[in-house]
Amino acid sequence: MTKSKQTLIAWLRDAHAMERASVDTLDRMADRLGRFPELAAGFREHWRVSLAQVQRIEVCLKQIGSDTSTVKDLASRFIGIARAFAVEVTPDEPVKDCLADYSWRHFEIGAYLSLGAAAAVLEEPEVVRMCEEHVQQERAMADWLERQIREVTQDFLRP
Ligand SMILES: [Fe+2]
């Protein structure tokens, strides 16, 4: 296996860890958004999308010929980063959760743009397709959140 191919596999494994961190963080955020059911439902929906993304990355890893038995080991690294984005419990946490997740969506968009570019050079069309689809899903979530940020902030200020 070439060095470039090994790098692509390493980056796919990073993406897998990133999505697992996303699943973990979205789950916690959705759970504590009791006062904002619409927001909680949106986070819950993207939690499902992220779970499917985890599985799709596993399929790509297998197709490329990588062992997936150890991919879960990397998750803790990204869970740490994702939690740094997410805030501790504070009175304005719904607002902060929106901001944190909005940043995280853009982190993921960047990661998939990079991974997709690498896969194009290495002629891995299945990975390219996956990255394009994941970018669309992350952009859709970021766009939805963009509208939520205003509403949740104004709602939060209402007595
Ligand atoms: Fe994602």
Side-chain angles (χ1 to χ4, degrees):
M1 191 180 283
T2 63
K3 198 157 175 272
S4 305
K5 193 72 158 283
Q6 284 172 353
T7 303
L8 182 69
I9 287 172
W11 287 348
L12 268 169
R13 290 160 73 94
D14 279 344
H16 186 272
M18 173 183 80
E19 289 302 342
R20 280 178 48 88
S22 205
V23 166
D24 181 80
T25 309
L26 286 164
D27 188 41
R28 285 185 313 117
M29 284 178 175
D31 272 355
R32 64 190 192 196
L33 281 169
R35 217 189 106 193
F36 298 88
E38 199 190 322
L39 198 58
F43 278 43
R44 192 57 76 196
E45 174 56 28
H46 202 75
W47 174 82
R48 274 189 286 273
V49 168
S50 305
L51 265 184
Q53 290 176 337
V54 166
Q55 285 160 0
R56 180 91 186 268
I57 294 167
E58 284 172 11
V59 170
C60 279
L61 274 166
K62 280 189 194 129
Q63 277 172 352
I64 284 188
S66 167
D67 174 26
T68 57
S69 63
T70 57
V71 284
K72 289 178 175 68
D73 300 346
L74 287 167
S76 57
R77 216 172 78 209
F78 280 90
I79 285 171
I81 300 172
R83 284 203 175 140
F85 273 84
V87 286
E88 293 304 314
V89 178
T90 55
D92 63 344
E93 68 174 7
V95 179
K96 294 292 196 290
D97 279 350
C98 282
L99 303 185
D101 200 62
Y102 188 68
S103 309
W104 189 252
R105 291 307 121 221
H106 286 87
F107 180 82
E108 289 197 5
I109 289 166
Y112 285 120
L113 288 175
S114 169
L115 187 60
V121 167
L122 295 170
E123 296 176 357
E124 292 290 347
E126 196 50 47
V127 180
V128 171
R129 228 178 342 263
M130 177 194 78
C131 290
E132 284 167 359
E133 284 174 29
H134 288 192
V135 164
Q136 277 176 17
Q137 289 171 325
E138 300 308 333
R139 284 209 167 118
M141 177 63 176
D143 288 349
W144 178 79
L145 265 172
E146 208 163 300
R147 295 190 294 276
Q148 300 304 310
I149 286 170
R150 293 194 188 93
E151 273 182 40
V152 171
T153 304
Q154 290 169 354
D155 215 32
F156 178 78
L157 288 173
R158 249 169 241 136

